Short mmCIF file of all heavy atoms in Angstrom, two decimals:
data_model
loop_
_atom_site.label_atom_id
_atom_site.label_comp_id
_atom_site.label_asym_id
_atom_site.label_seq_id
_atom_site.Cartn_x
_atom_site.Cartn_y
_atom_site.Cartn_z
N VAL R 10 -3.98 7.80 15.39
CA VAL R 10 -3.00 8.42 16.29
C VAL R 10 -3.72 8.77 17.60
O VAL R 10 -4.70 9.54 17.59
CB VAL R 10 -2.41 9.72 15.68
CG1 VAL R 10 -1.35 10.31 16.62
CG2 VAL R 10 -1.80 9.45 14.30
N THR R 11 -3.25 8.22 18.72
CA THR R 11 -3.89 8.56 20.01
C THR R 11 -3.19 9.76 20.64
O THR R 11 -2.02 10.03 20.37
CB THR R 11 -3.86 7.36 20.99
OG1 THR R 11 -2.51 7.15 21.42
CG2 THR R 11 -4.40 6.10 20.35
N GLY R 12 -3.93 10.47 21.47
CA GLY R 12 -3.38 11.67 22.11
C GLY R 12 -3.03 12.73 21.07
O GLY R 12 -2.05 13.47 21.22
N ALA R 13 -3.87 12.81 20.03
CA ALA R 13 -3.53 13.64 18.86
C ALA R 13 -4.06 15.07 18.94
O ALA R 13 -3.91 15.84 18.01
CB ALA R 13 -4.04 12.98 17.59
N GLY R 18 1.45 14.42 19.56
CA GLY R 18 0.43 13.68 18.80
C GLY R 18 -0.15 14.53 17.67
O GLY R 18 -0.37 14.04 16.56
N VAL R 35 -7.40 10.54 17.85
CA VAL R 35 -8.15 10.11 19.04
C VAL R 35 -7.62 10.86 20.26
O VAL R 35 -6.40 10.97 20.43
CB VAL R 35 -7.95 8.59 19.24
CG1 VAL R 35 -8.64 8.12 20.50
CG2 VAL R 35 -8.42 7.81 18.02
N ASP R 36 -8.52 11.35 21.10
CA ASP R 36 -8.08 12.03 22.32
C ASP R 36 -9.24 12.12 23.31
O ASP R 36 -10.41 12.01 22.94
CB ASP R 36 -7.58 13.45 22.00
CG ASP R 36 -6.55 13.95 23.02
OD1 ASP R 36 -6.95 14.31 24.15
OD2 ASP R 36 -5.35 13.97 22.69
N LEU R 37 -8.89 12.36 24.57
CA LEU R 37 -9.87 12.62 25.63
C LEU R 37 -10.52 13.98 25.44
O LEU R 37 -11.66 14.20 25.83
CB LEU R 37 -9.14 12.70 26.98
CG LEU R 37 -8.99 11.50 27.88
CD1 LEU R 37 -8.24 11.95 29.14
CD2 LEU R 37 -10.33 10.93 28.26
N LEU R 61 -12.18 9.73 22.93
CA LEU R 61 -12.13 8.41 23.60
C LEU R 61 -11.07 8.43 24.69
O LEU R 61 -10.00 9.04 24.53
CB LEU R 61 -11.74 7.33 22.56
CG LEU R 61 -11.56 5.92 23.12
CD1 LEU R 61 -12.90 5.20 23.22
CD2 LEU R 61 -10.61 5.08 22.26
N VAL R 63 -8.42 6.17 26.06
CA VAL R 63 -7.77 4.97 25.51
C VAL R 63 -7.61 3.84 26.54
O VAL R 63 -7.17 2.74 26.19
CB VAL R 63 -6.40 5.28 24.86
CG1 VAL R 63 -6.58 6.06 23.58
CG2 VAL R 63 -5.47 6.01 25.83
N PHE R 69 -11.94 1.29 22.96
CA PHE R 69 -10.77 1.39 22.07
C PHE R 69 -10.86 0.30 20.99
O PHE R 69 -10.64 0.54 19.80
CB PHE R 69 -9.49 1.25 22.90
CG PHE R 69 -8.24 1.78 22.24
CD1 PHE R 69 -7.03 1.78 22.92
CD2 PHE R 69 -8.24 2.28 20.93
CE1 PHE R 69 -5.86 2.27 22.34
CE2 PHE R 69 -7.07 2.77 20.33
CZ PHE R 69 -5.88 2.74 21.04
N VAL R 87 -0.45 4.66 16.03
CA VAL R 87 0.56 5.36 16.85
C VAL R 87 -0.01 5.48 18.27
O VAL R 87 -0.97 6.22 18.50
CB VAL R 87 0.90 6.75 16.28
CG1 VAL R 87 2.03 7.37 17.12
CG2 VAL R 87 1.29 6.68 14.82
N ASN R 88 0.58 4.74 19.20
CA ASN R 88 0.17 4.81 20.60
C ASN R 88 0.96 5.94 21.26
O ASN R 88 2.08 5.74 21.75
CB ASN R 88 0.46 3.47 21.30
CG ASN R 88 -0.48 2.38 20.86
OD1 ASN R 88 -1.71 2.55 20.88
ND2 ASN R 88 0.07 1.25 20.43
N ASN R 89 0.37 7.14 21.22
CA ASN R 89 1.06 8.35 21.68
C ASN R 89 0.48 8.92 22.98
O ASN R 89 1.19 9.59 23.72
CB ASN R 89 1.01 9.40 20.57
CG ASN R 89 1.39 10.78 21.07
OD1 ASN R 89 2.56 11.10 21.24
ND2 ASN R 89 0.38 11.61 21.34
N ALA R 90 -0.80 8.64 23.27
CA ALA R 90 -1.43 9.24 24.47
C ALA R 90 -0.60 8.88 25.69
O ALA R 90 -0.20 7.73 25.87
CB ALA R 90 -2.85 8.72 24.63
N GLY R 91 -0.34 9.88 26.54
CA GLY R 91 0.44 9.60 27.74
C GLY R 91 0.28 10.71 28.75
O GLY R 91 -0.08 11.84 28.41
N ILE R 92 0.55 10.37 30.01
CA ILE R 92 0.45 11.34 31.10
C ILE R 92 1.62 11.18 32.06
O ILE R 92 2.30 10.15 32.05
CB ILE R 92 -0.86 11.20 31.91
CG1 ILE R 92 -0.98 9.78 32.50
CG2 ILE R 92 -2.07 11.54 31.06
CD1 ILE R 92 -2.05 9.66 33.57
N VAL R 109 -0.90 5.98 35.73
CA VAL R 109 0.13 6.18 34.70
C VAL R 109 0.39 4.88 33.93
O VAL R 109 0.52 4.89 32.70
CB VAL R 109 1.42 6.75 35.34
CG1 VAL R 109 2.58 6.73 34.36
CG2 VAL R 109 1.17 8.18 35.82
N LYS R 111 -1.73 2.54 33.47
CA LYS R 111 -2.93 2.25 32.67
C LYS R 111 -2.99 3.10 31.40
O LYS R 111 -3.23 2.61 30.31
CB LYS R 111 -4.16 2.53 33.55
CG LYS R 111 -5.39 1.77 33.15
CD LYS R 111 -6.45 1.92 34.22
CE LYS R 111 -7.79 1.49 33.68
NZ LYS R 111 -8.89 1.77 34.60
N VAL R 112 -2.75 4.40 31.57
CA VAL R 112 -2.85 5.30 30.41
C VAL R 112 -1.68 5.07 29.44
O VAL R 112 -1.86 5.02 28.23
CB VAL R 112 -2.88 6.79 30.85
CG1 VAL R 112 -2.84 7.71 29.64
CG2 VAL R 112 -4.12 7.07 31.69
N ASN R 113 -0.47 4.93 29.98
CA ASN R 113 0.71 4.89 29.11
C ASN R 113 0.99 3.51 28.53
O ASN R 113 1.46 3.41 27.39
CB ASN R 113 1.96 5.36 29.87
CG ASN R 113 1.86 6.82 30.29
OD1 ASN R 113 0.84 7.46 30.09
ND2 ASN R 113 2.91 7.33 30.89
N LEU R 114 0.75 2.46 29.33
CA LEU R 114 1.16 1.12 28.89
C LEU R 114 -0.03 0.22 28.52
O LEU R 114 -0.06 -0.34 27.42
CB LEU R 114 2.01 0.46 30.00
CG LEU R 114 2.51 -0.95 29.73
CD1 LEU R 114 3.36 -1.03 28.45
CD2 LEU R 114 3.33 -1.48 30.92
N SER R 116 -3.03 0.96 27.67
CA SER R 116 -3.75 1.43 26.48
C SER R 116 -3.04 1.00 25.20
O SER R 116 -3.68 0.64 24.21
CB SER R 116 -3.86 2.96 26.51
OG SER R 116 -2.60 3.55 26.25
N ALA R 117 -1.71 0.99 25.23
CA ALA R 117 -0.95 0.59 24.03
C ALA R 117 -1.16 -0.90 23.75
O ALA R 117 -1.26 -1.32 22.59
CB ALA R 117 0.53 0.90 24.22
N LEU R 139 5.10 5.42 21.66
CA LEU R 139 5.89 6.55 22.18
C LEU R 139 6.43 6.18 23.54
O LEU R 139 5.71 6.23 24.55
CB LEU R 139 5.01 7.80 22.25
CG LEU R 139 5.04 8.72 21.02
CD1 LEU R 139 6.37 9.44 20.89
CD2 LEU R 139 4.76 7.95 19.74
N LYS R 158 7.10 3.49 30.43
CA LYS R 158 7.81 3.70 29.16
C LYS R 158 8.79 2.56 28.88
O LYS R 158 9.04 2.22 27.73
CB LYS R 158 8.52 5.06 29.16
CG LYS R 158 7.55 6.25 29.24
CD LYS R 158 6.62 6.28 28.04
CE LYS R 158 5.69 7.48 28.03
NZ LYS R 158 4.82 7.52 26.85
N LEU R 161 6.70 -0.26 27.63
CA LEU R 161 6.36 -0.11 26.21
C LEU R 161 7.44 -0.71 25.31
O LEU R 161 7.14 -1.19 24.21
CB LEU R 161 6.17 1.38 25.86
CG LEU R 161 4.84 2.00 26.24
CD1 LEU R 161 4.87 3.51 26.02
CD2 LEU R 161 3.70 1.38 25.42
N MET R 191 3.20 19.24 28.24
CA MET R 191 3.59 18.27 29.27
C MET R 191 4.83 18.74 30.01
O MET R 191 4.95 18.56 31.22
CB MET R 191 3.84 16.89 28.64
CG MET R 191 4.24 15.82 29.62
SD MET R 191 4.57 14.22 28.84
CE MET R 191 2.98 13.44 28.94
#
Side-chain angles (χ1 to χ4, degrees):
V10 182
T11 71
V35 177
D36 207 285
L37 267 181
L61 176 84
V63 290
F69 200 177
V87 185
N88 288 309
N89 166 79
I92 58 166
V109 169
K111 205 170 165 187
V112 174
N113 295 5
L114 179 58
S116 72
L139 267 290
K158 295 299 183 179
L161 280 172
M191 180 181 268

